[in-house]
Amino acid sequence: MAASTLPQDISDVELVHLARNAMKRAHCPYSKFPVGAALLTESGETILGCNVENASYGGTICAERSAIVSAVSQGHNKFRAIAVVTGLSEPASPCGLCRQFLVEFGDFKVVVGTASNSKILTTSTRDLLPYAFTPESLDIFEQEKSSTSKVSQDDVKEHDAVAT
């Protein structure tokens, strides 16, 4: 989907409106459940995404991931907000896979709306997926692995010194 430059102070309602427009482009011949997303980058651009289904169901991509993938391919990796819209009468939360995918890029606002009314819920990626496995988790693992490795090497040296 194309990117457009918008003012830095785009409202949640405006972002939801863009997601509604993106929803119209959804390719959902199997579920008949269109979803649209509008992703606001750190620089103020909006990137649209929609769900794209595939006869091989595992090949389906959700609107949220569609927007993120498009944004990353355009050089963006920091985001301020994403709006997600479905045709349900109540706002529907992103699926678990999308929650994990979104939190990969940090903690930012998530606005969930509907195509049929003005109901909007606002949360964040961290609130959608508490105790998330994130890039920071891998950094901590590497630090702990380095610390453990150093302790193990020191133990070997100490053991060798005692043995001789």
Side-chain angles (χ1 to χ4, degrees):
M1 302 263 154
S4 62
T5 303
L6 290 176
Q8 291 277 33
D9 60 348
I10 184 172
S11 72
D12 293 350
V13 172
E14 291 170 307
L15 205 56
V16 165
H17 177 74
L18 291 170
R20 283 183 184 133
N21 287 337
M23 187 177 99
K24 296 173 186 172
R25 298 178 182 165
H27 175 74
C28 51
Y30 308 106
S31 73
K32 312 280 192 271
F33 189 76
V35 181
L39 181 65
L40 181 62
T41 68
E42 189 74 21
S43 64
E45 290 183 65
T46 55
I47 311 291
L48 304 181
C50 61
N51 56 322
V52 180
E53 295 180 350
N54 189 284
S56 172
Y57 294 151
T60 294
I61 185 166
C62 299
E64 300 91 314
R65 289 184 288 135
S66 173
I68 293 274
V69 167
S70 183
V72 170
S73 71
Q74 294 175 47
H76 302 282
N77 61 11
K78 295 198 183 300
F79 308 109
R80 295 176 41 213
I82 188 169
V84 182
V85 171
T86 71
L88 296 172
S89 60
E90 294 293 322
S93 181
C95 73
L97 181 57
C98 285
R99 292 175 187 209
Q100 180 65 48
F101 207 83
L102 292 170
V103 80
E104 172 78 12
F105 295 92
D107 190 20
F108 54 92
K109 186 192 302 189
V110 178
V111 182
V112 187
T114 73
S116 60
N117 60 53
S118 60
K119 291 181 184 177
I120 292 176
L121 298 177
T122 304
T123 187
S124 71
T125 56
R126 295 283 180 172
D127 287 341
L128 278 176
L129 193 62
Y131 311 108
F133 184 80
T134 66
E136 292 81 23
S137 303
L138 294 172
D139 292 342
I140 291 168
F141 173 73
E142 283 300 318
Q143 291 170 358
E144 289 175 353
K145 190 168 78 171
S146 294
S147 296
T148 303
S149 176
K150 185 175 191 270
V151 169
S152 296
Q153 290 172 2
D154 290 345
D155 289 344
V156 168
K157 288 176 186 173
E158 184 178 309
H159 179 268
D160 288 347
V162 171
T164 54

